[in-house]
Amino acid sequence: MALIRIRGLSTIFGPRPKEALQQVRAGVDKAALLARGHTLALHDIDLDIRAGEIFVIMGLSGSGKSTLVRHINRLIDPTAGSVSIDGEDVLAMRPDELIALRRRRLAMVFQGFGLLAHLSVLDNVAFGLELRGVARAERQERARHWIERVALQGFEQHRPSQLSGGMRQRVGLARALCSDTDIILMDEAFSALDPLIRSQLQGELLTLQAELGRTVVFITHDLDEALRLGDRVAILRDGRLAQVGTPGEVLMAPADEQVAAFVRDVNRARALTIDAARVPWPADAPPPPPERAVDADLSIEQVLPMLVGRRTPLALRRGGTIVGQVSMDAVRDLLAQQD
Ligand SMILES: Nc1ncnc2c1ncn2[C@@H]1O[C@H](COP(=O)(O)OP(=O)(O)OP(=O)(O)O)[C@@H](O)[C@H]1O
Ligand SMILES: [Mg+2]
């Protein structure tokens, strides 16, 4: 079952959103609605986010990403539709229930860091636990653990203003992780960083996630970031969902011409796992020796050096099981579909 379930969600900004929604349902488009003083931010969104996945929401600026994620912790109310977490209707919650939900289950990492300027790094990271009433010694101990995990040890007593942008972003990440919530919402959390630091933090997030298995809703307008991080990716366009799928599905079977144009320039060898080129292991063949098998979840780029110049296919393994095989020809065909 989905952990976060969104149904029929529509959000319109302006003085008379309900009326405007009727007009949208009668066929008025976004531009015409804007001329009448209303912004159609989201329209008819159905989405299921599963426990333990990194779910990426991507789209161009203004496509509705931040608006969508703010419905999950109900920073805004929709014009129509429903949001539930673990079967509980978020829109029906009383203020005290909503506060409890935000403190215990939802942490948010903002693009602008959202750190408290007058608090030290240590107190910023421990802040979520403080709100929850965890005693000082315990929350500081837990905060130190996460500060170490994001490689900021030694900076515990610094103020945010004494840190670089990348370091502040790490504090934001440590704070979200330290809050010990099962859901983490990240709105363009890495977008302000330079490419090298950004790539490092993406790697750290993937490593931490493999260990922690939180549910992460990650917003980005960067396709490479979306494909690297996402177990699944939703593409928003003008407030509507253009496609939801695994990175492989979005690349190999774009839902329409616009998504296809969007993904055309992606480096497929890097974005796709070798599994995308898999064919069955012949039923009558004996199992391969261990040195002829590679992990099916490696990227094509990682496996290519092992494939080049080979005459026999490589076996693919997942866990301890042989799941199929790949040949250089199959990989070449797959990459050729790009043009
Ligand atoms: N509080 C608001 N009042 C009026 N319009 C709003 C408000 N918040 C968002 N919008 C409008 O809703 C649309 C979606 O905005 P949103 O912030 O969700 O986009 P986004 O995809 O997060 O963009 P970006 O990548 O630039 O952050 C935009 O047209 C925006 O102008
Ligand atoms: Mg935004």
Side-chain angles (χ1 to χ4, degrees), residues 24-339:
V24 172
R25 286 180 175 153
V28 174
D29 71 6
K30 187 171 169 151
L33 200 71
L34 192 62
R36 299 178 196 186
H38 286 87
T39 304
L40 179 62
L42 293 173
H43 189 48
D44 248 345
I45 303 286
D46 291 337
L47 211 54
D48 287 311
I49 298 173
R50 301 172 194 146
E53 70 177 338
I54 299 187
F55 190 91
V56 173
I57 298 170
M58 75 153 310
L60 301 176
S61 182
S63 57
K65 306 180 296 294
S66 294
T67 307
L68 180 55
V69 81
R70 284 181 187 144
H71 282 101
I72 297 173
N73 53 0
R74 204 177 150 194
L75 293 178
I76 44 180
D77 280 345
T79 311
S82 66
V83 178
S84 64
I85 297 179
D86 253 345
E88 274 199 79
D89 182 354
V90 176
L91 296 170
M93 285 184 182
R94 295 191 312 265
D96 58 321
E97 292 171 323
L98 195 56
I99 288 172
L101 175 83
R102 288 187 189 140
R103 285 190 186 160
R104 294 181 184 282
R105 303 213 52 185
L106 294 162
M108 188 147 179
V109 185
F110 297 90
Q111 173 171 19
F113 315 122
L115 302 178
L116 297 160
H118 61 288
L119 293 184
S120 66
V121 167
L122 186 65
D123 289 338
N124 263 290
V125 173
F127 191 66
L129 296 178
E130 184 177 355
L131 286 179
R132 247 197 264 172
V134 174
R136 187 179 165 86
E138 188 192 336
R139 65 176 192 253
Q140 291 204 339
E141 190 190 318
R142 282 160 69 179
R144 281 181 206 283
H145 167 78
W146 290 112
I147 287 170
E148 218 163 281
R149 288 305 306 267
V150 302
L152 280 178
Q153 60 274 35
F155 292 92
E156 290 83 354
Q157 298 311 326
H158 282 60
R159 296 287 160 95
S161 61
Q162 297 170 298
L163 304 178
S164 72
M167 292 162 89
R168 283 183 220 176
Q169 200 67 78
R170 282 167 203 265
V171 178
L173 185 59
R175 182 174 60 179
L177 291 165
C178 186
S179 300
D180 217 12
T181 61
D182 59 324
I183 302 170
I184 302 180
L185 309 175
M186 302 180 74
D187 188 355
E188 305 263 11
F190 300 158
S191 301
L193 308 175
D194 67 60
L196 190 62
I197 306 275
R198 184 170 182 166
S199 169
Q200 269 173 13
L201 275 174
Q202 289 166 354
E204 282 171 34
L205 180 66
L206 287 171
T207 307
L208 283 165
Q209 173 64 7
E211 189 182 312
L212 303 172
R214 310 266 177 106
T215 305
V216 179
V217 183
F218 192 99
I219 293 193
T220 181
H221 58 258
D222 184 274
L223 185 59
D224 289 319
E225 182 165 77
L227 297 174
R228 178 170 183 201
L229 293 180
D231 291 306
R232 290 191 303 145
V233 178
I235 298 179
L236 264 182
R237 187 194 306 134
D238 285 343
R240 295 175 202 249
L241 276 179
Q243 186 164 8
V244 180
T246 62
E249 284 164 355
V250 172
L251 282 180
M252 300 313 295
D256 57 33
E257 219 8 79
Q258 279 170 287
V259 176
F262 201 54
V263 300
R264 194 155 289 146
D265 295 330
V266 168
N267 179 346
R268 285 166 188 235
R270 188 166 298 165
L272 291 174
T273 60
I274 190 67
D275 200 44
R278 166 167 55 99
V279 295
W281 182 256
D284 52 354
E291 70 277 6
R292 263 192 63 202
V294 293
D295 188 338
D297 294 319
L298 292 175
S299 70
I300 292 178
E301 190 175 64
Q302 287 168 303
V303 177
L304 263 182
M306 295 176 247
L307 267 178
V308 172
R310 277 189 80 89
R311 285 203 202 92
T312 48
L314 270 177
L316 295 181
R317 102 172 94 66
R318 182 170 285 121
T321 315
I322 297 301
V323 292
Q325 59 175 345
V326 285
S327 64
M328 192 61 214
D329 287 345
V331 169
R332 201 178 288 122
D333 288 349
L334 187 74
L335 297 178
Q337 286 177 29
Q338 186 142 19
D339 309 312

